[in-house]
């Protein structure tokens, strides 16, 4: 294959360093690198954040006609020269105000911004700019409020050429402005050479090849549909998304195949064991619990390493299933560990387990980070000797100093991605225990298959009998008294109450005034002077926290005021009311988790959210108690990244694909990937896959 262009310039492979471009020296390369751009591929796959359609540009003189009273929200685009730029402070509310006049030969338009003082430095009189924003009728006539701007030319400098219909815009990276970046992209597109694609024919059918797709997205042809471009649904987008999803799917399939080959300990079963386990149970299992446990038993006896995700709505009884699995191992000579995210939860589970085990409670062992030295030494000794068979703890379980006698099962509670590294560490120590992950948040089934496709899955889709729906209300902060009345009523019946506060400080990172936990404490003490109250938050020392929680669990404290430290797992069935302050500060799934802290007993429970904003979103919680539906809604509103908490979850960072939107495409990719894997990967495919995996951060996925 020829490597030389007509004018004898060598083609560059996509994996070339950015310094291969004219104008990218070491300084720019460093800036690019800090933003995660190393190669031409990185540069080219970062698509424009927006396209301006020249056909949609308006003359300033036309705007009057365009602007509809009440239609303030419509975004319009104008281009012109900045004539005036000034800053002031508004008299009311003392906000910083930046004002500019834009002229385009047909007229002038006032642009205004609130609290964006840096704009006065970024823009200069004489700049030729594109401005996008909503029009509104101000005191001086029509104006554009808070527009986004793009500098197209400065002073006597060259004006950006705009020949084609669509102008792609790129985010600036430090001193590398969008315009400069655009020039590098043009150069890269002219020089780059894409050898082969590893996409199987059945996935690439009807789609442009990779280089054409990149060209179409950086230099959209004039006949491209503007809506498709904006919706990221052109064939070129589909091509790139498919590449990403196929690499992802292949990675998952490889991992799964590797795991299925691993031999796991065979946990013996017998009728006696079954009888023994049954005797430990305080109640009849729900149908869903029975199904899930059966699936786990099949795994544990299969001779392969189990790697299963147990999903279930809050309150569906995941702990009991975990306990049974652990008992199966522990009662047949093995050790089982339960890993939880917080010490509060660890202590609580230890109590639950001791209660379930009755006479044999001594077989349990708590292991926490900040234990007293002597206590810890004893714990480690009991774990090493095998005397401790149910080990419950935080990540301290996986510290170097811990050595197990015969660890056969690890259960990870409430933190679905936690433990990947730990498992690798165990494997390095020659141990490969069975693994059961319990998810704190129900994950919509379709997405779970996509993201956790390498795990087997069990779902608890049934609540234990006798649960009543939780009375859920959304109250304006002005109506807070209704919430306190509800708390008072429940306390009078002998029940307990939670109050959740979003912040420890009155000004948190969002820089909006909030009622912080101290203010809330003062309020509660004034409103309920006779009632014992405990306050817990993340800044307390662990033992102090444990002490306060214990007083609430024991019923000595009647109100627990807390930050979201109580979000997961806390189980006090006498608590029947929860009030959440500033509910808008929480994600829907998070609120649903919080709500799950009440309604754990037979008494009717109440969940009251105080919020003056975003009530539309919060209404979803009033409307349904189905965690899967709430999760779906949350996912749609926030996107998969936020939903899973990207960093911890290790879900891949796609540049073009969208897990939610491209679900079908992903399952198609998975099918094809299975086939490709069955017939073996070529060397080229393997090299490509290695690169893609680094880029998608697939290595971080278990
Ligand atoms: P989650 O799935 O949210 O972790 P838990 O395991 O904490 O739920 O269980 C919630 C509550 O339901 C606990 O108080 C537990 O004792 C109770 N529970 C669990 N399984 C059953 C059952 N089969 N019948 C009755 N109550 C149950
Ligand atoms: Mg739980």
């Amino acid at each position: 294959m020829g490597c030389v262009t007509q004018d004898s310039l060598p083609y560059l492979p996509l994996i070339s360093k950015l310094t291969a471009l004219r104008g990218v020296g070491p300084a720019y390369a460093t800036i690019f690198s800090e933003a995660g751009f190393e190669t031409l591929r990185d540069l080219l796959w970062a698509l424009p954040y927006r396209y301006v359609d020249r056909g949609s540009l308006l003359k300033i003189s036309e705007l009057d006609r365009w602007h509809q009273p009440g239609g303030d929200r419509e975004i319009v685009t104008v281009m012109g020269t900045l004539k005036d730029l000034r800053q002031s402070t508004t008299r009311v509310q003392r906000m910083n105000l930046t004002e500019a006049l834009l002229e385009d030969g047909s007229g002038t338009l006032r642009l205004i911004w609130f609290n964006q003082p840096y704009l006065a430095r970024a823009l200069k009189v004489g700049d030729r700019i594109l401005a996008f924003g909503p029009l509104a009728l101000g005191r001086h006539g029509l104006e554009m409020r808070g527009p986004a701007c793009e500098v197209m030319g400065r002073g006597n400098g060259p004006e950006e050429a705009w020949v084609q219909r669509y102008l792609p815009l790129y985010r600036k990276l430090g001193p590398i402005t969008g315009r400069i970046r655009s020039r590098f992209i043009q150069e890269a597109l002219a020089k780059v050479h894409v050898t082969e694609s590893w996409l199987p024919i059945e996935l690439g059918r009807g789609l442009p090849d990779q280089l054409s797709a990149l060209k179409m997205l950086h230099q959209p042809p004039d006949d491209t549909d503007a809506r498709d471009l904006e919706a990221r649904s052109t064939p070129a987008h589909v091509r790139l998304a498919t590449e990403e999803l196929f690499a992802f799917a292949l990675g998952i399939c490889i991992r799964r195949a590797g795991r299925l080959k691993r031999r796991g300990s065979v946990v013996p079963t017998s009728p006696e064991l079954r009888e023994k386990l049954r005797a430990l149970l305080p109640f009849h299992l729900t149908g869903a619990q029975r199904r899930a446990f059966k699936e786990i038993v099949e795994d544990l006896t299969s001779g392969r390493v189990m790697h299963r995700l147990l999903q279930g709505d809050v309150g569906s009884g995941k702990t009991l299933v975990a306990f049974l699995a652990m008992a199966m191992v522990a009662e047949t000579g093995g050790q089982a560990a339960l890993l939880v995210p917080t010490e509060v939860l660890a202590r609580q589970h230890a109590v639950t387990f001791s209660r379930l085990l009755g006479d044999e409670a001594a077989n349990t062992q708590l292991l926490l980070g900040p234990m007293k030295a002597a206590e810890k030494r004893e714990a480690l000794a009991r774990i090493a000797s095998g005397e401790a068979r149910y080990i419950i703890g935080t990540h301290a379980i996986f510290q170097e100093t811990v050595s197990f006698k015969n660890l056969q099962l690890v259960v990870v509670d409430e933190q679905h991605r936690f433990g990947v590294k730990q498992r690798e560490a165990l494997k390095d120590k020659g141990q490969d225990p069975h693994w059961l992950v319990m998810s704190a948040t129900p994950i919509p089934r379709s997405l779970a298959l996509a993201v956790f496709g390498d795990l087997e899955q069990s779902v608890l889709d049934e609540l234990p009998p006798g649960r009543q729906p939780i009375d859920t209300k959304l109250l304006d902060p002005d109506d807070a008294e209704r919430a306190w009345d509800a708390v008072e009523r429940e306390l009078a019946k002998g029940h307990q109450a939670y109050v959740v506060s979003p912040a420890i400080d009155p000004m948190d990172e969002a820089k909006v005034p909030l009622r912080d936990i101290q203010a809330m404490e003062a309020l509660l003490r004034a409103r309920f002077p006779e009632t014992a109250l405990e306050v817990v938050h993340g800044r307390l020392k662990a033992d102090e926290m444990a002490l306060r929680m214990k007083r609430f669990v024991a019923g000595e404290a009647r109100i627990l005021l807390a930050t979201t430290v109580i979000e997961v797992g806390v189980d006090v069935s006498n608590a029947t009311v929860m009030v959440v302050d500033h509910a808008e500060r929480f994600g829907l799934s998070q609120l649903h988790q919080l709500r799950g802290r009440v309604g754990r007993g037979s008494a009717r429970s109440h969940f009251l959210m105080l919020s003056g904003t975003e009530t539309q979103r919060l209404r979803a919680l009033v409307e349904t108690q189905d965690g899967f539906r709430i999760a779906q809604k949350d996912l749609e509103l926030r996107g998969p990244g936020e939903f899973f908490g990207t960093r911890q979850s290790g879900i891949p960072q796609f540049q073009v694909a969208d897990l939610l939107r491209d679900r079908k495409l992903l399952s198609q990719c998975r099918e094809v990937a299975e086939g490709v894997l069955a017939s073996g990967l070529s060397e080229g495919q393997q090299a490509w896959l290695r690169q893609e995996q680094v880029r998608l951060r697939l290595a971080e996925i278990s």
Side-chain angles (χ1 to χ4, degrees), residues 318-319 349 413-414 569:
K318 293 185 286 289
T319 314
H349 280 314
D413 190 18
E414 307 285 8

Side-chain angles (χ1 to χ4, degrees), residues 50-123:
R50 165 188 264 152
Y51 298 93
V52 192
D53 180 351
R54 195 173 36 193
S56 71
L57 270 189
L58 294 175
K59 284 209 184 82
I60 290 175
S61 61
E62 295 173 330
L63 293 179
D64 270 332
R65 203 153 33 89
W66 194 262
H67 175 70
Q68 310 276 327
D72 288 6
R73 295 265 37 105
E74 174 132 33
I75 304 275
V76 299
T77 310
V78 290
M79 187 160 79
T81 307
L82 276 187
K83 286 297 168 200
D84 191 10
L85 187 65
R86 63 183 64 189
Q87 293 215 48
S88 58
T89 307
T90 61
R91 242 180 309 145
V92 197
Q93 293 188 313
R94 310 211 56 77
M95 281 188 286
N96 171 288
L97 176 68
T98 308
E99 294 171 273
L101 273 187
L102 187 74
E103 192 200 35
D104 72 348
S106 81
T108 55
L109 177 68
R110 188 164 170 262
L111 314 179
I112 60 168
W113 297 267
F114 291 105
N115 290 333
Q116 301 192 41
Y118 52 86
L119 271 174
R121 268 172 280 127
L123 298 175

Side-chain angles (χ1 to χ4, degrees), residues 289-301:
Q289 283 172 322
R290 198 168 306 129
R291 269 194 307 279
F293 182 54
K294 189 159 164 275
E295 287 160 353
I296 291 170
V297 172
E298 277 163 19
D299 287 349
L300 293 179
T301 53

Side-chain angles (χ1 to χ4, degrees), residues 283-286 289 314-320 464 467 571 600:
F283 14 61
H284 290 292
L285 293 181
T286 63
Q289 283 172 322
V314 51
S316 60
K318 293 185 286 289
T319 314
L320 202 61
R467 291 286 166 77
D571 188 14
R600 304 199 137 231

Side-chain angles (χ1 to χ4, degrees), residues 521 525 531-536 544 547-549 551-552 556-562:
E521 182 181 357
R525 290 207 190 275
T531 309
L533 171 130
E534 288 292 350
V535 185
V536 295
E544 180 61 25
L547 204 70
R548 294 182 183 190
M549 283 303 298
R551 283 203 281 264
F552 185 71
E556 291 157 28
R558 308 283 309 287
I559 300 179
L560 185 70
L561 169 59

